[in-house]
Amino acid sequence: MNELPPKSEPPSNIPILDREAGLHRGLTSWQVAMIGLGSTIGTGLFLGSALSVKLAGPAVIVSFLLGAIVTVTVMWALAEMAAEHPAAGSFGLYAEMYVHPWAGFAIRYTYWLCLVFVVGSEVVAASIYCKYWWPAVPSWMWIAGFAIALLYVNTISIKSFGVFEYWLAMIKVVTIVGFLILGAALLFGVGFPRMGAANYTAHGGFFPNGWSGVGLGVTMAIFSFLGLEIVGATAGEAANPSVAVPRALRRTLSFLVLFYLGGLAIVVGIVPWTELGLGESPFVRVFRSVGIPGAGNVMNFVVLTAALSSAMCNLYFTARLLFSLARGGYAPTTLGKLSKRGMPVAAVMASGVGLLIALFLSHFFESTAFVFMIGVAFFGGPFIWIMILVTHLAFRRANERTGKPILRFAPPGPWSSLFGLVALIAVLISTWWVPEFRITMEAGPAWLAIVTICYLIWARVAREKHYSRDDLKTKLSEL
């Protein structure tokens, strides 16, 4: 038998894509877009944005604008590759095809671990929101109940999941639009006493911490935009992936820029930036500060659904990553099995480990669990985006050599991807100077070393067993 080649073949390598057959294509383009919004609009906007405001003050608006520019380069790269190769493994599969099997292995396991923590952080945030109404109820009870619900929704069917997430995400989309309209009315005095722009320059000015504060604010901005890449994973279950995925990426990013920039501009305009903190959502604080009856309860319900929606989408993606790894021979074959409805139930259950971690941390470290879990998870996001851009450069070169036409989104040449690479590396390094995220640079390199050792062990075992593509096809046919 032939050994697996040290490097995957270029675009014509169909067997790699065939590994992930069996998933049902039941998602519409709007459901794909809502999954993107559902995974992205969560604690990053509704709770974690308070960290950005603390770092940059009112200039957090500039931080998020710069973060959006970097995000565009990643969106272009992912849209091109997803349109050409629709698969659940998404950028992990593309890295294996165009860079090296190690890249595909490291990306999928790194992002799997990252999202495991993100799912946990979202559920921890949801328990914080519930304390707004029931402060005496222990956080672990909320986390346990939410965990059961999330696991159930992710194992029924892809159509049911798509419908459920569509309406759950729609709640926060409609609410944010209403928030933007109401906030603008408060600032400009339409139907309310005019608040004006005093808070933008009070308490140290628009740039209270200088440009260094703006730069550090970009760190949290990038975290808030993370989740956009999950749209690429829906290509394996979208009805018309070559059209639906690129369209959903554009829609998702457009909505995100509007919601983040508009929402934060209103938050820092109405509430002095020095009064914001992690004990309460900035959005809830806005409604509380203007004395609108019942608005705080409504907004707290919305941010609660936002956190659960984000957790549900991220659990969806962790399961697809683990499913992709299993189908590629990088994880136990059991995790690559599908239910009669085409759902990777075993991979969903295994990916639910983040919920157990959240349960443990919330019980023993309740006051610091949210920030700790975000800090651990943050390394995976920029690392994955960096690898998406590296893969895109290799993807472009491979298609130029073969002369194969592709659907282009990024400008000609490598410059947009190179710009994104430099910016993301700077963002990753800057986490060292953000106390809440210092764990990012402490844990990240160590994790990559562990992943590399695991890959080398796997590669050696594969060679000893003469693990061939024919063996892989035989195993897949048995699933």
Side-chain angles (χ1 to χ4, degrees):
M1 294 183 180
N2 297 325
E3 297 179 1
L4 281 174
K7 195 170 183 178
S8 298
E9 301 167 12
S12 59
N13 194 345
I14 302 303
I16 287 184
L17 298 175
D18 283 348
R19 293 177 189 169
E20 300 180 6
L23 294 168
H24 295 181
R25 295 190 179 275
L27 296 175
T28 66
S29 61
W30 272 108
Q31 286 175 337
V32 170
M34 283 300 184
I35 288 173
L37 289 173
S39 64
T40 309
I41 301 177
T43 55
L45 174 61
F46 291 117
L47 184 61
S49 57
L51 290 176
S52 291
V53 175
K54 285 294 185 184
L55 292 167
V60 68
I61 301 167
V62 179
S63 297
F64 272 75
L65 179 60
L66 294 174
I69 293 172
V70 175
T71 305
V72 168
T73 66
V74 179
M75 184 205 72
W76 283 336
L78 187 57
E80 285 189 6
M81 294 187 291
E84 185 68 18
H85 305 299
S90 189
F91 44 80
L93 202 65
Y94 310 149
E96 182 180 350
M97 293 171 65
Y98 290 98
V99 181
H100 192 276
W102 171 87
F105 183 92
I107 286 174
R108 279 174 283 190
Y109 267 116
T110 298
Y111 208 45
W112 179 81
L113 181 69
C114 168
L115 288 185
V116 159
F117 278 102
V118 168
V119 169
S121 72
E122 296 284 2
V123 177
V124 170
S127 71
I128 292 174
Y129 300 144
C130 288
K131 283 186 174 296
Y132 183 84
W133 295 304
W134 301 285
V137 178
S139 296
W140 69 266
M141 293 185 65
W142 293 114
I143 294 172
F146 292 145
I148 294 171
L150 291 171
L151 291 171
Y152 173 74
V153 172
N154 268 277
T155 54
I156 40 180
S157 72
I158 191 59
K159 287 187 177 180
S160 298
F161 172 87
V163 171
F164 194 93
E165 176 55 32
Y166 178 88
W167 290 110
L168 202 59
M170 184 63 75
I171 292 173
K172 53 189 172 184
V173 169
V174 171
T175 303
I176 294 173
V177 171
F179 176 84
L180 294 176
I181 295 172
L182 178 60
L186 287 167
L187 289 174
F188 293 105
V190 180
F192 297 92
R194 184 175 180 273
M195 300 193 70
N199 283 326
Y200 292 115
T201 54
H203 311 287
F206 189 73
F207 295 92
N209 297 321
W211 281 101
S212 61
V214 172
L216 292 176
V218 173
T219 300
M220 193 63 201
I222 293 296
F223 175 81
S224 297
F225 283 115
L226 292 175
L228 179 76
E229 67 282 351
I230 291 180
V231 174
T234 63
E237 293 166 282
N240 188 5
S242 61
V243 175
V245 174
R247 181 182 295 167
L249 282 166
R250 288 193 297 267
R251 286 173 176 169
T252 303
L253 184 58
S254 299
F255 280 122
L256 287 177
V257 171
L258 172 64
F259 293 164
Y260 278 114
L261 294 182
L264 288 173
I266 287 172
V267 166
V268 296
I270 294 175
V271 181
W273 70 273
T274 53
E275 297 181 10
L276 295 174
L278 280 177
E280 181 182 38
S281 166
F283 283 67
V284 175
R285 176 62 190 277
V286 166
F287 284 114
R288 241 187 358 101
S289 66
V290 297
I292 300 176
N297 287 309
V298 173
M299 197 63 198
N300 200 61
F301 170 76
V302 172
V303 296
L304 172 62
T305 60
L308 294 177
S309 169
S310 181
M312 188 166 69
C313 289
N314 285 316
L315 182 59
Y316 163 87
F317 193 30
T318 57
R320 270 59 185 177
L321 287 172
L322 207 52
F323 166 79
S324 178
L325 284 162
R327 287 297 181 94
Y330 301 111
T333 55
T334 302
L335 299 175
K337 292 184 177 181
L338 296 171
S339 68
K340 293 180 179 179
R341 296 184 176 182
M343 299 293 280
V345 176
V348 170
M349 294 301 177
S351 299
V353 67
L355 299 169
L356 292 176
I357 294 173
L359 194 64
F360 172 81
L361 290 177
S362 68
H363 183 68
F364 292 100
F365 307 99
E366 184 169 353
S367 62
T368 58
F370 174 70
V371 172
F372 175 79
M373 295 189 78
I374 287 184
V376 172
F378 188 76
F379 174 79
F383 171 73
I384 296 309
W385 280 17
I386 287 169
M387 292 305 297
I388 286 174
L389 294 173
V390 169
T391 303
H392 181 246
L393 292 171
F395 168 80
R396 280 280 188 94
R397 286 198 301 270
N399 282 283
E400 286 172 1
R401 285 197 301 268
T402 60
K404 183 179 180 180
I406 60 172
L407 188 61
R408 290 183 180 270
F409 295 91
W415 307 113
S416 67
S417 291
L418 288 175
F419 166 77
L421 273 176
V422 172
L424 287 168
I425 290 172
V427 164
L428 198 55
I429 293 174
S430 73
T431 59
W432 183 258
W433 289 275
V434 182
E436 293 86 355
F437 291 142
R438 183 163 292 179
I439 192 174
T440 299
M441 291 303 293
E442 293 174 346
W447 166 252
L448 283 183
I450 293 171
V451 168
T452 300
I453 292 171
C454 291
Y455 170 77
L456 293 174
I457 293 172
W458 173 87
R460 182 173 181 177
V461 171
R463 284 195 299 271
E464 290 175 353
K465 290 184 176 180
H466 300 289
Y467 193 51
S468 71
R469 296 191 189 282
D470 291 335
D471 296 328
L472 183 59
K473 280 186 175 181
T474 300
K475 285 193 174 187
L476 294 182
S477 66
E478 296 172 355
L479 297 177

